Amino acid sequence: MRALDETRGAVRVEDVYDTDIEDLWDACTTPDRLARWLADVEGDRRVGGTIHLTFTSSASTPAVVEVCDAPRHLLLRTSPGASDEGETEAWLSEEGERTRLVVEQRGLLIENLPFHGAGWQAHLEDLGRSLETGASVHPDGWSADAPSPYWRERWTELTPTYQAMDVG
């Protein structure tokens, strides 16, 4: 977690997965695979297109696809034009037979960084389980009104750790 200015900040999380870069890219960009671990995605997924994301956390936002450089780099501008406009960026890199995923979300209110940090860690853990099983890790579903019960439980466990961290 780091401050970008006096009021806004960024969260950066990463993990290494036991899969090749093409498979991880597919898990991060294909709607049916995204729905297994992160979000329902609808809309125009081409560069310049607008999509709508409903995350397993129940967060829901429009986003514009700014960069889609398969299989290494994705940049979304979230809540375009709104006061809470931000960016979510992902980078993938090969590490032998494994692949590293780095996700950074920018433009968040500083006081909310711990909640987003815990949330992204839970999401990346969900990705790992989805890659292992090839199935959804949220069988009870979620909506814009109610998060996935499993995601919420893990987020609740992780949040105090993030609240104890300093914002750099």
Side-chain angles (χ1 to χ4, degrees):
M1 298 180 296
R2 72 179 196 284
L4 300 173
D5 61 31
E6 293 178 7
T7 61
R8 300 286 175 172
V11 169
R12 183 181 182 107
V13 293
E14 62 184 270
D15 205 345
V16 178
Y17 298 95
D18 290 323
T19 193
D20 64 60
I21 196 168
E22 296 291 340
D23 183 53
L24 189 59
W25 178 262
D26 190 62
C28 293
T29 59
T30 303
D32 65 321
R33 291 196 65 193
L34 276 166
R36 295 177 189 174
W37 67 277
L38 180 66
D40 282 326
V41 179
E42 297 177 352
D44 183 356
R45 298 174 319 170
R46 295 175 294 177
V47 172
T50 299
I51 59 174
H52 190 88
L53 301 144
T54 302
F55 291 89
T56 58
S57 64
S58 78
S60 184
T61 187
V64 174
V65 179
E66 297 288 342
V67 175
C68 185
D69 183 18
R72 301 196 179 278
H73 184 212
L74 180 66
L75 172 63
L76 303 177
R77 184 167 32 98
T78 54
S79 301
S83 63
D84 63 342
E85 181 176 284
E87 294 179 330
T88 301
E89 194 160 14
W91 300 269
L92 289 78
S93 58
E94 296 165 302
E95 294 192 5
E97 294 181 10
R98 303 175 79 200
T99 305
R100 178 175 300 276
L101 172 64
V102 177
V103 177
E104 184 171 272
Q105 187 177 10
R106 297 181 292 272
L108 304 165
L109 291 174
I110 287 178
E111 61 266 23
N112 293 336
L113 292 179
F115 305 111
H116 288 276
W120 275 108
Q121 181 177 335
H123 288 315
L124 280 135
E125 290 173 5
D126 289 346
L127 171 57
R129 283 195 323 285
S130 177
L131 289 168
E132 288 173 11
T133 65
S136 175
V137 297
H138 300 287
D140 296 329
W142 70 90
S143 70
D145 298 319
S148 159
Y150 176 83
W151 181 91
R152 184 173 188 89
E153 179 181 326
R154 184 65 178 136
W155 174 81
T156 300
E157 292 171 0
L158 292 167
T159 296
T161 301
Y162 279 85
Q163 288 174 317
M165 291 180 185
D166 290 328
V167 174

